[in-house]
Amino acid sequence: MLFGFEWDLSSPLAFALSILPILLIGMWVTIQAAVLGFAVALVLGLVWAVLKAARSRFIAWPASVVTEFIRDTPLLVQLFFLYYVLPEYGIVLPAFMTGALALGIQYSAYTSEVYRAGLEAVAKDQHEAARALNLSAARTFTHIVVPQAVPRIVPAMGNYLVSIMKDVPVLSVVTVLEMLNVAKIVGDRTFDYLVPLSMVGGLYLIMTLVASAGVRLLDGWLPKQGIPLK
Amino acid sequence: MSDPIIKFDKVVKRFGDLTVLDALDFEVMRGEKVSIIGPSGSGKSTVLRILMTLEGIDGGLVTVGGEPLWHEPGPDGLRPASEAHLRKMRAQLGMVFQQFNLFPHMTVLRNITEAPVKVLGLSKADAKLRAEELLERVGLADQAQKYPHQLSGGQQQRVGIARALAMRPSILLFDEPTSALDPELVGEVLNVIGQLAEEHDLTMLLVTHEMRFAREISDRVCFFDQGQIREEGTPEELFSDPNEDRTREFLKAVLD
Ligand SMILES: Nc1ncnc2c1ncn2[C@@H]1O[C@H](COP(=O)(O)OP(=O)(O)O)[C@@H](O)[C@H]1O
Ligand SMILES: [Mg+2]
């Protein structure tokens, strides 16, 4: 029994059906961790991108070093760091929060690159036209650059949402009960790993297909010329 | 017409090791219509871009309306211009780009009204009125709600002209305004520029390869070669009876 659901070992099908609610609970945790981590990555990535674009080298350089460091170290290292080191300094977060934060930090290094590339892809022409019209730097950024960068940024971000989902099982090492961890516990207790693990594979396939389709839909729906301003 | 509205005084411009303008002297009088011709890479665009404050200078002095453009008075003489000074100076100039450079995510109307509202502080209604008058003038009165990608290149460039005019510049810079256009669309843009050339007060600086057009509308034509004005004169003088071999060669090459 797990989460109040009994398993039925009479046949593989009955077993599969009986543990489906258990795995769905795990899947819900996976989705939450991915979405929360993604949200952190979106915000933190933007912070890095802005810092890296700073005129002052004393700001831009450390930001580059930090993001490079994050990118070049495994997610597990960041996770252990947060999980074991933070409590030494009196910061105790629930395992789920720690895990989502680690995911967010890891992916912020990637999303910062997406922001940077998206903003830089807005042609120099556009900056020059805005300058020739004497538009302020702030107005140029918010009303000329950003609306044209968003359609380039969104699809790439969507792909990171999909890969963040696939990284959530790493959180099982700090006891987060995401889908794979739940399946493993079911296997440990029933001595049948094949059915729960196959189901995890299938559910992952569904999740990533749905997310990818969503990204593609969004991409097709976004105006290629930039977000129209009325 | 005695004092120049634009003056380049021994202006030097380098890109790395490449000296594009080497002590260029150049003057334009108020209301004058000047065409700049010359081979590719001779520094024609650079001259316009320096005036539009898109490129800085490495030496010499540029003045616009008698005031230094890239410098401002400081306690010990001239110092490099601040952004505030550049903003003030820029208000006198407008530019029409070879690739139009319209804002693709804004309607034609919004392309034209954005800067008058945000920079000049016009009300939206006044800016719209001004834009509609200009669209009428460039023959696009019925296209205000379209987006740039829904227009032909010739129409886009006419919007580009209207957008620049909406800021009421006293100097209008054209950088090869018809070079990116299909041949059959060149005429409609030249017509609009030709009408502007009738305006007495507007100073126009036109970089172009349209020799016949330059001949028709210009008060003066300058032949640029290797960052220098190799030869200048009235269209008659320059086109019919050039003094320099380089000018003759260039004209022969482009007119054939
Ligand atoms: N941003 C830049 N960086 C380096 N070289 C440049 C840049 N802009 C222009 N140049 C060079 O300066 C020279 C003059 O350019 P330009 O003024 O555009 O010539 P034109 O408009 O007469 O064809 C060319 O050799 C060009 O390659
Ligand atoms: Mg040029």
Side-chain angles (χ1 to χ4, degrees):
Chain A
M1 192 178 94
L2 191 61
F3 305 138
F5 293 94
E6 291 288 350
W7 32 78
D8 176 355
L9 287 161
S10 57
S11 75
L13 184 63
F15 181 43
L17 285 176
S18 65
I19 61 170
L20 185 61
I22 301 174
L23 293 183
L24 287 179
I25 289 171
M27 183 165 134
W28 180 233
V29 173
T30 298
I31 291 171
Q32 284 177 308
V35 169
L36 188 61
F38 188 56
V40 171
L42 287 182
V43 174
L44 194 57
L46 185 59
V47 172
W48 295 135
V50 169
L51 292 180
K52 281 198 276 189
R55 291 234 181 92
S56 159
R57 257 182 243 172
F58 296 101
I59 299 171
W61 195 74
S64 296
V65 170
V66 170
T67 52
E68 194 58 38
F69 178 77
I70 294 171
R71 204 201 325 267
D72 294 340
T73 52
L75 172 57
L76 206 49
V77 173
Q78 271 117 268
L79 186 58
F80 275 17
F81 195 87
L82 293 181
Y83 193 69
Y84 294 111
V85 177
L86 284 189
E88 286 181 21
Y89 295 90
I91 304 170
V92 183
L93 294 174
F96 173 82
M97 286 296 169
T98 312
L101 197 60
L103 284 171
I105 290 172
Q106 173 78 16
Y107 275 85
S108 70
Y110 303 130
T111 58
S112 77
E113 277 305 297
V114 174
Y115 284 120
R116 192 193 55 75
L119 294 173
E120 280 179 8
V122 175
K124 200 170 143 235
D125 294 7
Q126 294 286 307
H127 290 273
E128 294 188 344
R131 195 167 154 89
L133 291 168
N134 235 341
L135 289 171
S136 69
R139 184 79 187 173
T140 302
F141 184 74
T142 57
H143 283 69
I144 307 295
V145 176
V146 168
Q148 293 183 64
V150 166
R152 298 169 218 260
I153 289 173
V154 168
M157 289 300 184
N159 293 332
Y160 280 126
L161 175 60
V162 173
S163 45
I164 225 172
M165 249 179 215
K166 294 194 280 186
D167 271 349
V168 172
V170 172
L171 308 195
S172 63
V173 300
V174 295
T175 74
V176 174
L177 289 174
E178 47 70 49
M179 184 162 57
L180 183 68
N181 202 6
V182 167
K184 184 183 160 294
I185 293 170
V186 170
D188 288 343
R189 297 197 188 162
T190 60
F191 303 108
D192 183 345
Y193 290 98
L194 177 66
V195 171
L197 289 184
S198 307
M199 289 173 73
V200 168
L203 289 171
Y204 249 109
L205 191 65
I206 293 170
M207 270 199 301
T208 49
L209 284 181
V210 168
S212 302
V215 171
R216 229 168 310 135
L217 214 67
L218 192 61
D219 186 26
W221 171 80
L222 281 172
K224 289 290 159 279
Q225 313 287 337
I227 305 293
L229 293 181
K230 266 290 168 192
Chain B
M1 294 252 294
S2 58
D3 57 327
I5 189 168
I6 296 171
K7 188 162 187 222
F8 279 59
D9 187 5
K10 306 250 175 314
V11 171
V12 177
K13 174 66 188 176
R14 295 188 200 95
F15 290 111
D17 291 338
L18 179 73
T19 301
V20 178
L21 302 181
D22 189 5
L24 175 71
D25 290 317
F26 177 49
E27 286 185 4
V28 178
M29 297 297 157
R30 197 173 290 276
E32 200 178 13
K33 317 291 186 271
V34 176
S35 290
I36 299 178
I37 62 172
S40 176
S42 57
K44 307 180 299 294
S45 295
T46 303
V47 167
L48 298 197
R49 292 169 56 79
I50 286 171
L51 284 167
M52 197 62 253
T53 71
L54 302 176
E55 299 285 357
I57 57 176
D58 299 304
L61 193 68
V62 178
T63 56
V64 170
E67 259 190 279
L69 178 65
W70 279 102
H71 298 83
E72 62 186 314
D76 334 299
L78 291 178
R79 56 181 169 147
S82 63
E83 182 56 27
H85 176 78
L86 292 176
R87 273 183 80 80
K88 188 189 81 185
M89 297 300 289
R90 230 180 261 140
Q92 305 172 62
L93 296 136
M95 184 149 176
V96 175
F97 297 89
Q98 183 173 350
Q99 301 292 341
F100 331 134
N101 298 12
L102 298 182
F103 304 127
H105 59 297
M106 294 181 178
T107 60
V108 164
L109 184 70
R110 182 71 188 261
N111 260 279
I112 301 173
T113 57
E114 174 72 10
V117 171
K118 289 299 154 188
V119 178
L120 305 180
L122 256 62
S123 74
K124 282 196 176 144
D126 287 347
K128 184 160 181 270
L129 221 61
R130 188 182 280 197
E132 282 164 349
E133 271 171 39
L134 286 166
L135 283 173
E136 182 86 46
R137 244 168 94 184
V138 301
L140 294 172
D142 47 350
Q143 311 287 338
Q145 294 310 323
K146 295 235 174 99
Y147 284 89
H149 71 273
Q150 298 171 308
L151 304 179
S152 74
Q155 291 173 321
Q156 289 188 47
Q157 190 57 297
R158 287 185 279 154
V159 174
I161 295 171
R163 181 176 72 172
L165 286 172
M167 297 300 281
R168 306 252 164 105
S170 46
I171 303 166
L172 202 46
L173 310 168
F174 295 86
D175 193 1
E176 300 197 28
T178 58
S179 292
L181 299 177
D182 293 335
E184 73 272 18
L185 301 177
V186 168
E188 63 190 53
V189 173
L190 291 185
N191 275 339
V192 170
I193 300 174
Q195 280 170 33
L196 285 175
E198 310 277 304
E199 290 197 15
H200 189 72
D201 291 334
L202 185 67
T203 306
M204 272 174 46
L205 217 54
L206 170 73
V207 174
T208 187
H209 292 297
E210 298 289 334
M211 298 302 155
R212 276 194 31 203
F213 182 70
R215 186 172 189 152
E216 272 170 39
I217 65 141
S218 312
D219 300 313
R220 180 158 57 103
V221 179
C222 298
F223 173 62
F224 262 67
D225 188 34
Q226 296 174 348
Q228 282 294 333
I229 298 178
R230 185 59 73 98
E231 183 167 1
E232 61 179 318
T234 63
E236 258 333 282
E237 289 164 0
L238 199 100
F239 287 116
S240 309
D241 184 23
N243 292 322
E244 299 276 332
D245 289 345
R246 282 291 292 144
T247 318
R248 221 168 288 133
E249 280 167 35
F250 174 77
L251 288 175
K252 189 165 177 310
V254 293
L255 292 176
D256 282 345

